[in-house]
């Protein structure tokens, strides 16, 4: 306690020791308290005040006044001497007592609230005392030229600095923390510091910014944030060293960007001065890794920043996008509140110059809302992937007053701007996305009906086409800018049209005729064309008849647009005719006409080039319309004659075109057609593969997307169905008849090569990211189950070359754990490629260059073990579906049971832990790889020393349980024993031997549990009557007999000998029905749960008997 009074006896006071002489207690954590002099009345009063202050903050204001009276009695001449009993005490005595109390709290840990309360009390006292000292100074002493005068409070602060600064370098982190905390609080509570104290505090706190303890750096940042404002604009001395040459503000900005502690970054964010130099660094904390730091930016810094219109347009858009799409819900809410409250108030001019809100808020201001939309550049941010629509959704949700105040009457639609039309579109989308009926009334009241909207849309489309044609003739730049806004208006009206109800036949006909005429306009922009087709699809209806009508109308529009280049030869023909008439005296008119035509093309190359460009543009327009149409149909291609016509007359010629843009867009249309017909997809897979091989990066990305969509839509294109199993293979009664698996088609190998090549295309990140995303989807849906592709995908995740490809890394970070933990089959597939992946990772680690970085092989092995852990499988509650995965092979006698998705027994009596065969198979493959045996699946030479080290580190983390295949358990035990007996040839380090010992102990433990279960079953069969022993009233002797045969061959000892005896005794009571069942199935059935396994010191067994390796 800071106010503790030293009471020592005379004997203790006579003992003195030199600090340099070692004693028995010199290493003790309890330091000897130096002589502090006699106890005085001043010490008693100050200690009593500090003792009360550390208990609660409620009495701090009263205690501050009391301490100030004592301070004035010591520093100034008292008006009534002797009244308070402090005569004879000087200012130095008071400062010494305060410093003595502060020293007492230096050893108090951060978790103790008493220390924080005392320091907070000191800060309040310094602030109060500083104000009182300034009030007592004569006005002539306060001069800006001479600086701030010295006061008793400033001298107290200087004394505290002189006492605490030497302690900043203490070895004890608590002392450094409390010393820095007191100094920072003192700096923030004073209005000014003298030059000597300022330089000393600045230098010491700057060094504490490099302290290894984050809590010390946080307190140093609190103090330096106050001093950093004075450092702006200061020039450093030429003779100073590098650390001093860099300004304080620059050092703090570096810490703001690079400090590993989120608390330090947050402290700097809230305490650095807001200047034009620091603002970009502060705002970029919106992308900080720590959610609390991002919350502090949006909820505290930005509301206190002032008028948001001082920010640049790009920064406003980024802040909205980053905040509204943040992963943290609190950040999203803070951003929405900032947009709908603070920013709209800035546009409405509600706040005064100091940023204070009035007591009564004025009514909603629609003009201010339109200005807010203009300030976030709604023309660019209001597109489909922009942030303006999300921001307005939050605005309408949090501002019901604006929802009620806005009105969309007829004059509103006569003179639309980008902001006004987006305002209507955003309210329409918000109300239609809500389930509440009251929002439907808002739509009926405020939005126009279909017929009115059709007339408004027609007016703005006509205005747009007129301006586009003017630009084509004159090429005015200002007209182009107006066209951008006009296009945006038409797009928003079409978005509104997508949400309307077309049950009104009059309105439907109006919209139908308008869209049909609009679609045939060649100058129509592509984005508007796409929206027109989508609305037309909705107007035509969603049934098959509506789809045929829709396709027919779209193809009519394509034909009208294509006629613009078909009519072009007639004009040339007229020129040829006139040219022929001028040469009418020639005998061979046909030859003359041909020669003249060639001569005309030679003499007018510009005309020929212009015609070619126009033809390309018209064909691109037609293909774009066809692409948009194909994206909005879902029927069979052969059942729709319009689609077949389009395919033969438009798409196929485009794919064969010599012009690259036309050929590429035709390829996209062909891919969409393949989604509608499986036969067409099978016929064109070779074409797509050829385009990937010969194409550039953009075309390769397109082809990957096309192939991924085709394989997802038609998974059977890769396999050829075969007949069922031949009659000679007669299945037993316990084994259901299964058709043989489909045979792979010849195209599966080229597709695998294509994806493998794309995964290795590190020089083209877009192609690599597209391949990763597409392949992840195909593997996750089990469209592809190729182990080579999975191995390449996992290896790509750890390759150093993919470090800069954030899209590929992020996709794999999500895919790999989801793929492994979603299905047991996926986990088995992943476990089969682990040895090959580890071999590749070790090879990459050995070939690593100095500048490159990658995850170590040990960390990769840990990930592999975690991804193949059966305990992490996601299982639906109450799922009793049988797992038909080959390799599990455990059935339940009598039917009615099996394994669920996680490998748990579905019958309640048999349920134990998840089946551990996945890790057992993985352990077998790893140990075989360590021993250099075949079957490791890597296709390479013997394992290197580093690879063996990584593999042995993995086997010690395996999940081993008795709820597994007994043969696999024995195989693992045999391999572990073989590796252990090989000595230093295989296991060269103690870590590997320990991991191997853990695995061997866990396997022996599981085998011991299985043996105990067999003994119990044998005793049950002996005591049963009439074959009624065991589960279900039937004996289990066939499986026990099978287990005996295996154990006699392997010559096990101890517990296994008992298992043989119990099995032999129970064999005589088996029923004929049971003996007819296949032995292999019943042998595996003998693996049952038992809770009576033997104990081991290094292995822990849970309540279900599962072996857990810590």
């Amino acid at each position: 306690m800071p106010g503790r009074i030293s009471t020592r006896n005379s004997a203790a006071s006579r003992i003195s020791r030199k600090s340099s002489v070692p004693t028995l207690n010199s290493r003790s954590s309890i330091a000897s308290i130096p002589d502090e002099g006699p106890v005085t009345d001043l010490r008693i009063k100050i200690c009593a005040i500090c003792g009360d202050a550390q208990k609660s903050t409620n009495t701090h204001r009263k205690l501050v006044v009391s301490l100030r009276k004592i301070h004035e009695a010591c520093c100034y001449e008292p008006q009534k001497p002797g009244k308070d009993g402090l005569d004879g005490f000087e200012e130095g005595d008071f400062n010494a007592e305060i410093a003595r109390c502060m020293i007492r709290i230096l050893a108090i840990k951060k978790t103790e609230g008493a220390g924080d309360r005392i320091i907070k009390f000191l800060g309040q006292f310094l602030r109060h005392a500083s104000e009182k000292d300034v009030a007592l100074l004569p006005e002539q002493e306060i001069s800006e030229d001479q600086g701030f005068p010295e006061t008793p409070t400033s001298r107290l602060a200087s004394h505290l600095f002189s006492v605490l600064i030497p302690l900043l370098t203490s070895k004890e982190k608590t002392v450094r923390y409390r010393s820095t905390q007191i100094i920072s609080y003192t700096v923030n509570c004073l209005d000014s510091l003298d030059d000597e104290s300022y330089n000393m505090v600045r230098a010491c706190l700057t060094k504490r910014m490099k302290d290894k303890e984050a809590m010390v750096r946080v307190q140093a940042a609190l103090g330096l944030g106050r001093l950093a404002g004075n450092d702006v604009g200061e020039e450093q001395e030429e003779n100073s060293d590098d650390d001093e040459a860099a300004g304080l503000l620059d050092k703090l900005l570096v810490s703001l960007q690079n400090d590993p502690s989120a608390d330090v970054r947050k402290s700097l964010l809230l305490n650095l001065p807001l200047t034009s130099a620091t603002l970009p660094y502060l705002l970029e904390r919106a992308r900080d890794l720590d959610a609390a730091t991002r919350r502090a930016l949006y909820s505290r810094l930005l509301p206190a920043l002032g008028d948001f219109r001082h920010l640049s347009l790009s920064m406003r858009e980024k802040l909205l996008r980053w905040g509204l799409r943040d992963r943290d819900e609190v950040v999203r809410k803070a951003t929405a509140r900032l947009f709908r409250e603070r920013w709209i108030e800035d546009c409405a001019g509600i706040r005064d110059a100091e940023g204070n809100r009035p007591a009564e808020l004025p009514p909603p201001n629609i003009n201010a809302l339109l200005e807010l939309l203009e300030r976030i550049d709604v023309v660019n941010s209001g597109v489909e992937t922009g942030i303006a629509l999300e921001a307005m959704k939050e605005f309408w949700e949090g501002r019901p007053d604006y929802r009620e105040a806005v009105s969309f009457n007829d004059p509103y639609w006569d003179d639309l701007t980008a902001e006004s039309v987006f305002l209507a579109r955003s309210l329409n989308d918000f109300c239609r996305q809500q389930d509440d009926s009251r929002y439907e009334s808002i739509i009926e009241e405020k939005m126009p009906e279909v017929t009115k909207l059709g007339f408004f849309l027609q007016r703005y489309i006509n205005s747009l086409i007129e301006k586009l044609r003017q630009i084509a003739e004159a090429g005015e730049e200002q007209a182009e800018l107006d066209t951008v806004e006009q296009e945006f208006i038409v797009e928003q009206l079409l978005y509104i049209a997508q949400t309307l109800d077309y049950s009104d036949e009059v309105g439907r006909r109006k919209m139908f005729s308008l869209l049909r005429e609009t679609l045939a306009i060649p100058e129509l922009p592509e984005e508007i064309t796409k929206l027109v087709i989508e609305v037309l699809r909705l107007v035509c209806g969603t049934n098959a008849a509506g789809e045929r009508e829709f396709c027919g109308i779209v193809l009519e529009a394509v034909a009208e647009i294509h006629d613009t280049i078909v009519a072009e030869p007639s004009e040339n023909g007229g020129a040829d005719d006139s040219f022929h008439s001028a040469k009418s005296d020639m005998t061979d008119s046909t030859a003359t006409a041909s020669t003249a035509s060639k001569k005309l093309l030679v003499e007018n190359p510009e005309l020929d080039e212009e015609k070619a460009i126009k033809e390309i543009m018209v064909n691109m327009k037609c293909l774009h319309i066809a692409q948009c149409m194909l994206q909005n149909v879902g029927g069979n291609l052969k059942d729709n004659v319009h689609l077949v016509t389009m395919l033969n007359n438009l798409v196929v010629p485009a794919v064969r075109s010599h012009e690259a843009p036309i050929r590429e867009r035709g390829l996209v249309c062909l891919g969409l057609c393949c989604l509608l017909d499986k036969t067409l997809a099978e016929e064109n897979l070779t074409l797509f593969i050829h385009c990937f091989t010969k194409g550039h990066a953009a075309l390769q990305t397109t082809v990957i997307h096309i192939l991924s969509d085709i394989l997802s839509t038609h998974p059977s294109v890769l396999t050829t169905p075969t007949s069922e199993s031949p009659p000679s293979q007669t299945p037993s009664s316990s084994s259901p008849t299964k058709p043989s698996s489909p045979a792979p088609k010849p195209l599966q190998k080229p597709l695998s090569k294509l994806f493998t090549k794309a995964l290795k295309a590190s020089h083209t990140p877009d192609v690599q990211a597209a391949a990763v995303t597409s392949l992840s989807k195909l593997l996750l849906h089990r469209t592809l189950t190729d182990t080579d592709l999975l191995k390449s995908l996992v290896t790509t995740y750890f390759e150093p070359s993919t470090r800069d490809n954030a899209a590929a890394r992020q996709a794999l970070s999500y895919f790999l754990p989801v793929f492994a933990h979603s299905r047991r089959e996926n986990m088995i597939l992943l476990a089969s490629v682990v040895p090959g992946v580890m071999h590749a990772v070790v090879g990459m680690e050995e070939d690593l260059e100095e500048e490159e970085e990658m995850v170590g092989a040990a960390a990769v092995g840990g990930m592999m073990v975690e991804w193949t852990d059966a305990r992490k499988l996601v299982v639906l509650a109450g799922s009793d579906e049988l797992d038909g995965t080959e390799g599990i092979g455990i059935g339940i006698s009598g039917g009615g049971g099996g394994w669920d998705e996680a490998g748990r027994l579905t019958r309640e009596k048999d349920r134990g832990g998840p089946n551990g065969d996945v890790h057992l198979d993985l352990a077998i493959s790893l140990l075989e790889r360590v021993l250099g045996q075949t079957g490791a699946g890597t296709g390479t030479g013997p394992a290197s020393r580093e690879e063996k080290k990584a593999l042995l580190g993995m086997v010690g983390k395996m999940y081993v349980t008795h709820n597994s295949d007994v043969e696999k358990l024995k195989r693992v035990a045999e391999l572990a024993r073989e590796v252990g007996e090989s000595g230093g040839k295989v296991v060269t380090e103690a870590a590997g031997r320990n991991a191997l010992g853990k695995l061997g102990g866990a396997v022996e433990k599981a085998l011991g549990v299985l043996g105990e279960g067999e003994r119990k079953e044998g005793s049950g069969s002996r005591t049963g009557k009439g074959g009624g022993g065991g589960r279900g009233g039937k004996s289990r002797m066939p499986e026990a007999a099978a287990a005996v045969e295996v154990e006699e061959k392997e010559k096990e000892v101890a517990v296994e000998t008992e298992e043989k005896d119990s099995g032999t005794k129970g064999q005589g009571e088996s029923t004929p029905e049971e003996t007819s069942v296949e032995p292999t199935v019943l042998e595996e059935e003998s693996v049952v749960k038992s809770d009576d396994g033997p104990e081991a010191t290094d292995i822990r067994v849970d309540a279900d008997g599962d072996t857990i390796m810590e």
Side-chain angles (χ1 to χ4, degrees):
M1 168 179 154
R4 185 170 69 86
I5 301 175
S6 175
T7 56
R8 60 188 64 190
N9 53 27
S10 58
S13 63
R14 290 194 299 267
I15 299 176
S16 61
R17 296 190 182 97
K18 295 183 179 180
S19 59
S20 59
V21 178
T23 62
L24 293 175
N25 296 328
S26 59
R27 295 182 177 269
S28 175
S29 60
I30 303 177
S32 60
I33 300 176
D35 187 11
E36 298 176 342
V39 178
T40 60
D41 294 337
L42 178 63
R43 178 178 299 178
I44 294 174
K45 291 186 176 182
I46 293 178
C47 290
I49 292 175
C50 292
D52 294 338
Q54 74 175 352
K55 297 177 182 178
S56 174
T57 58
N58 298 331
T59 59
H60 277 190
R61 182 177 299 180
K62 178 180 178 181
L63 296 174
V64 163
V65 175
S66 301
L67 187 60
R68 174 58 184 177
K69 291 181 181 179
I70 300 175
H71 190 204
E72 291 179 353
C74 295
C75 299
Y76 299 99
E77 294 184 2
Q79 297 179 356
K80 298 179 180 180
K83 182 179 179 180
D84 46 10
L86 296 176
D87 295 341
F89 294 104
E90 303 293 336
E91 179 182 348
D93 299 330
F94 180 86
N95 295 345
E97 292 299 330
I98 293 294
R100 173 183 172 275
C101 291
M102 292 301 106
I103 291 176
R104 293 288 180 143
I105 68 172
L106 295 181
I108 299 179
K109 294 184 178 180
K110 181 183 178 181
T111 55
E112 293 291 338
D116 295 333
R117 287 191 288 267
I118 285 291
I119 296 175
K120 184 178 180 181
F121 169 73
L122 175 65
Q124 292 181 359
F125 168 73
L126 291 175
R127 187 179 293 109
H128 176 74
S130 178
E131 295 173 356
K132 292 294 184 180
D133 289 340
V134 173
L136 294 175
L137 286 176
E139 295 182 1
Q140 58 271 19
E141 293 187 14
I142 303 176
S143 174
E144 295 181 359
D145 298 336
Q146 298 179 356
F148 202 82
E150 190 179 38
T151 61
T153 306
S154 64
R155 290 191 290 270
L156 172 61
S158 300
H159 180 70
L160 288 176
F161 293 152
S162 62
V163 173
L164 295 173
I165 285 178
L167 300 175
L168 291 176
T169 58
S170 173
K171 294 182 179 180
E172 294 291 334
K173 62 180 181 181
T174 305
V175 176
R176 297 198 308 274
Y177 166 70
R178 290 299 182 184
S179 302
T180 310
Q181 186 182 19
I182 296 173
I183 293 174
S184 298
Y185 261 83
T186 304
V187 168
N188 282 280
C189 292
L190 296 179
D191 295 329
S192 64
L193 292 176
D194 58 89
D195 293 341
E196 182 181 357
S197 298
Y198 175 84
N199 294 328
M200 185 168 52
V201 170
R202 171 181 164 176
C204 295
L205 291 183
T206 303
K207 292 181 179 179
R208 288 306 98 204
M209 284 300 299
K210 298 180 181 179
D211 197 283
K212 64 180 180 179
E213 298 295 335
M215 61 180 182
V216 178
R217 299 198 301 273
V218 169
Q219 298 303 322
L222 290 174
L224 290 176
R226 179 68 184 278
L227 302 179
N230 299 324
D231 192 66
V232 177
E234 289 187 357
E235 296 181 358
Q236 304 296 330
E237 298 181 2
E238 296 180 358
N239 297 329
S240 59
D241 56 15
D242 294 339
D243 290 339
E244 295 177 354
L248 173 61
L249 191 59
D250 296 335
K251 295 178 181 178
L252 294 179
L253 292 177
V254 171
S255 297
L256 177 66
Q257 290 181 307
N258 303 311
D259 197 286
S261 173
D263 294 333
V264 177
R265 299 194 301 271
K266 180 181 176 181
S267 177
L268 290 170
L269 174 69
L270 298 176
N271 289 278
L272 284 177
L274 294 174
T275 63
S276 58
T278 61
L279 190 58
Y281 296 93
L282 298 176
L283 296 181
E284 73 178 9
R285 288 302 95 201
R287 305 298 288 169
D288 196 279
L289 295 176
D290 180 57
T293 305
R294 302 194 301 272
R295 289 196 294 266
L297 174 70
Y298 282 99
S299 61
R300 298 177 61 180
L301 180 67
L302 289 178
L305 187 60
D307 197 335
F308 81 100
R309 290 173 287 188
H310 296 302
L311 298 174
S312 64
L313 181 60
S314 62
M315 185 53 67
R316 295 175 213 154
E317 192 271 337
K318 287 179 181 178
L319 288 174
L320 277 180
R321 186 173 72 251
W322 294 340
L324 292 177
R325 295 177 180 174
D326 195 276
R327 66 175 68 92
D328 188 75
E329 184 180 1
V330 180
V331 177
R332 296 195 298 269
K333 290 182 179 179
T335 308
R337 186 167 54 252
L338 175 74
F339 178 76
R340 66 174 177 247
E341 293 180 4
R342 180 58 198 248
W343 285 15
I344 187 65
E345 291 173 0
D346 291 339
C347 293
I350 296 177
R351 296 178 181 268
D352 55 17
E354 298 180 356
N356 299 321
R357 298 173 61 183
E360 296 182 2
L361 294 178
N365 190 339
I366 303 301
N367 292 330
L369 181 55
L370 294 176
E371 181 187 354
L372 177 60
L373 292 176
E374 182 182 2
R375 296 290 182 180
I376 63 174
D377 190 18
V378 74
V379 175
N380 294 317
S381 62
V383 295
E384 189 173 359
T385 57
I387 196 60
L389 196 61
E390 299 178 33
M392 287 306 298
K393 177 184 177 182
E394 298 292 341
F395 181 88
W396 294 123
E397 185 175 2
R399 296 303 297 264
D401 52 342
Y402 274 85
R403 287 201 307 261
E404 300 296 334
V406 70
S407 177
F408 304 133
N409 48 21
D410 291 346
Y412 183 89
W413 301 93
D414 293 336
D415 188 18
L416 288 176
T417 61
E419 292 76 28
S420 59
V421 71
F422 186 79
L423 184 68
R425 182 258 173 119
S426 62
L427 180 61
N428 177 73
D429 288 356
F430 171 75
C431 294
R432 293 189 183 278
Q433 291 172 2
Q434 308 300 319
D435 297 332
D436 198 342
S437 59
R438 57 177 178 166
Y439 294 105
E440 297 180 1
S441 62
I442 295 178
I443 295 176
E444 296 176 358
E445 177 186 354
K446 300 181 183 297
M447 300 303 296
E449 59 271 13
V450 178
T451 307
K452 276 189 178 181
L453 185 67
F455 283 106
F456 296 145
L457 182 60
Q458 184 177 12
R459 179 194 308 169
Y460 287 102
I461 288 177
N462 294 337
S463 176
L464 172 63
I465 298 303
E466 182 180 353
K467 288 185 178 181
L468 289 173
R469 289 172 179 170
Q470 291 177 359
I471 293 174
E473 295 176 359
E476 299 177 2
E477 295 183 0
Q478 184 62 34
E480 292 183 6
L481 296 178
D482 295 340
T483 304
V484 173
E485 183 175 1
Q486 201 72 21
E487 289 180 17
F488 183 79
I489 294 173
V490 175
E491 289 173 8
Q492 302 309 306
L493 291 175
L494 288 171
Y495 278 120
I496 296 175
Q498 286 182 343
T499 62
L500 297 181
D501 183 12
Y502 292 97
S503 58
D504 179 19
E505 186 63 24
V506 176
R508 193 193 74 84
R509 289 181 180 179
K510 170 62 182 175
M511 191 66 70
F512 179 80
S513 60
L514 171 64
L515 297 175
R516 182 175 57 183
E517 295 172 1
T518 303
L519 192 59
I521 300 175
E523 296 86 359
L524 199 66
E526 288 191 352
E527 184 62 27
I528 295 180
T529 302
K530 175 177 174 290
L531 293 173
V532 166
I533 293 176
E534 291 177 358
V535 178
L536 183 62
R537 180 70 183 91
L538 183 64
V539 172
C540 291
T542 58
N543 52 12
E547 183 175 298
R548 287 192 296 269
E549 182 185 15
F550 164 72
C551 295
I553 294 171
V554 173
L555 290 182
E556 288 178 6
V558 171
E560 292 182 19
I561 294 175
H562 198 269
D563 288 343
T564 58
I565 59 174
V566 174
E568 191 69 24
S570 63
E571 299 177 2
N572 296 336
D576 292 341
D577 292 340
S578 62
F579 183 77
H580 290 175
S581 62
K583 303 291 183 180
S584 58
D585 54 337
M586 290 189 177
T587 56
D588 194 355
S589 59
T590 305
T592 303
S594 177
T595 305
S597 178
K598 294 180 180 179
K599 183 177 180 182
L600 180 64
L601 294 177
V602 173
E603 292 179 353
N604 298 281
E606 296 181 359
L607 182 63
D608 186 41
E609 182 180 358
E610 182 180 354
K611 177 185 174 182
I613 293 175
K614 182 179 180 181
E615 184 176 353
I616 292 174
M617 296 300 295
V618 172
N619 286 326
M620 292 287 289
K621 176 69 176 179
C622 295
L623 288 170
H624 178 260
I625 295 176
Q627 177 183 344
C628 296
M629 180 191 68
L630 290 170
Q631 290 173 348
N632 288 275
V633 295
N636 195 317
L637 179 70
K638 295 179 180 179
D639 296 341
N640 195 326
V641 64
H642 301 291
L643 295 179
V644 175
T645 303
M646 179 209 63
L647 174 66
N648 296 329
N649 298 336
L650 181 63
V651 176
V652 174
V655 175
R656 296 173 179 174
S657 174
H658 296 288
E659 302 294 338
I662 296 178
R663 187 168 61 248
E664 292 175 11
R665 184 161 287 185
L667 198 68
V668 175
C669 294
L670 181 61
L672 292 171
C673 291
C674 291
L675 300 181
L676 304 177
D677 187 74
K678 177 183 174 183
T679 305
L680 186 65
E682 293 176 344
E683 294 173 352
N684 289 281
L685 279 179
T686 307
L687 172 64
F688 294 127
I689 296 174
H690 175 76
C691 292
F692 178 87
T693 306
K694 302 297 182 181
H696 51 82
L699 183 60
Q700 288 178 338
T701 304
T702 303
V703 170
I704 288 175
H705 291 156
I706 292 173
L707 291 174
S708 175
D709 292 341
I710 290 176
L711 295 178
S712 299
T713 308
H714 309 295
S716 58
V717 298
L718 293 178
T719 56
T720 303
T722 58
S723 58
E724 294 187 356
S725 57
S728 59
Q729 298 177 358
T730 304
S732 63
S733 59
S734 62
S735 302
T737 303
K738 295 183 180 180
S740 59
S741 59
K745 283 191 175 182
L747 287 176
Q748 188 166 358
K749 188 174 182 180
L751 279 173
S752 300
K753 289 183 178 180
L754 183 147
F755 280 111
T756 304
K757 181 180 178 182
L759 288 176
K760 296 179 180 179
S762 57
H763 58 284
T764 52
D766 293 338
V767 177
Q768 191 177 44
V772 166
T773 305
S774 301
L775 198 55
S776 299
K777 293 177 182 178
L778 295 174
L779 287 170
L780 193 59
H781 291 89
R782 296 192 63 79
T783 304
L784 292 177
T785 55
D786 191 348
T787 55
D788 293 335
L789 287 178
L790 180 59
K791 175 186 172 183
S792 300
L793 201 61
V794 179
T795 307
T796 302
Y797 183 52
F798 300 107
E799 282 184 352
S801 58
T802 61
R803 180 183 179 185
D804 297 330
N805 194 345
R809 281 284 181 96
Q810 186 175 11
L812 288 171
S813 298
Y814 173 81
F815 161 73
L816 289 173
V818 171
F819 172 78
H821 298 156
S822 58
R823 295 174 65 94
R824 188 174 185 85
E825 296 92 334
N826 296 345
M827 186 173 286
I828 295 173
L829 191 66
L830 180 61
S832 65
V833 303
V834 169
V837 170
M838 293 302 299
H839 175 77
V841 168
V842 172
M844 288 186 293
E845 196 172 14
E846 293 175 353
D847 300 338
L848 201 63
E849 298 181 0
E850 295 182 358
E851 299 82 7
E852 294 180 335
E853 295 180 359
M854 67 171 292
V855 182
V860 174
M863 294 181 189
M864 294 297 172
V865 173
E866 182 181 2
W867 291 340
T868 54
D869 192 346
R871 293 171 294 182
K872 297 183 180 296
L873 274 171
V874 178
V875 185
L876 296 178
S879 175
D880 285 341
E881 297 180 1
L882 296 178
D883 190 357
T885 306
E886 297 181 2
I888 295 178
I890 299 181
I892 304 296
S893 61
W899 296 98
D900 64 8
E901 187 66 30
R904 297 181 178 89
L905 288 170
T906 55
R907 291 203 309 184
E908 192 67 33
K909 293 182 179 180
D910 299 328
R911 288 190 180 182
N915 179 264
D917 285 353
V918 179
H919 267 183
L920 290 180
D921 291 334
L922 179 58
I924 292 172
S925 61
L926 296 181
L927 292 175
E928 288 179 348
R929 176 65 181 161
V930 170
L931 292 170
Q933 299 178 4
T934 58
T938 60
T940 57
S944 63
R945 178 179 178 181
E946 293 298 326
E947 184 177 353
K948 292 179 180 179
K949 178 181 176 182
L951 297 182
L952 289 175
M954 294 173 61
V955 299
K957 304 174 184 177
M958 296 294 176
Y959 167 66
V960 180
T961 175
H962 70 278
N963 207 1
S964 305
D965 190 345
V966 64
E967 296 298 330
K968 294 180 181 179
L969 286 170
K970 294 176 180 179
R971 176 60 178 164
V972 172
E974 179 185 352
L975 289 173
R977 190 181 306 110
E978 187 176 350
V979 172
E981 292 174 354
S982 63
K985 296 181 180 180
V986 177
V987 185
T988 59
E989 296 184 1
R993 289 191 293 271
N994 294 337
L996 199 63
K998 282 186 177 181
L999 177 65
V1003 172
E1004 294 297 333
K1005 187 70 173 179
L1007 289 173
V1009 173
L1010 292 175
E1012 188 69 22
E1014 290 180 358
R1015 289 198 303 272
K1016 288 186 177 182
E1017 291 168 6
S1019 61
S1021 62
R1022 289 192 301 269
T1023 57
K1025 296 181 180 180
R1031 287 185 297 174
K1034 298 180 180 180
S1035 69
R1036 303 179 51 85
M1037 296 326 303
E1039 54 248 72
V1044 168
E1045 294 176 3
V1046 174
E1047 289 163 354
E1048 288 178 350
K1049 293 178 182 179
E1050 296 181 348
K1051 297 181 179 180
E1052 296 291 337
V1053 294
V1055 177
E1056 296 169 358
T1057 305
E1058 281 185 70
E1059 297 174 23
K1060 297 177 189 177
D1061 298 335
S1062 61
T1064 306
K1065 293 178 181 179
Q1067 186 175 359
E1069 299 181 7
S1070 60
T1071 62
E1073 179 183 66
E1074 286 180 310
T1075 54
S1076 64
V1077 184
E1078 289 187 37
T1080 56
V1081 176
L1082 292 172
E1083 176 188 348
E1084 293 170 339
E1085 172 60 20
S1086 63
V1087 184
V1088 296
K1089 188 183 81 170
S1090 174
D1091 296 335
D1092 300 328
E1095 298 293 334
T1097 56
D1098 57 338
I1099 304 298
R1100 182 171 61 87
V1101 180
D1102 59 8
D1104 295 328
D1106 298 333
T1107 304
I1108 307 297
M1109 292 186 295
E1110 297 294 333

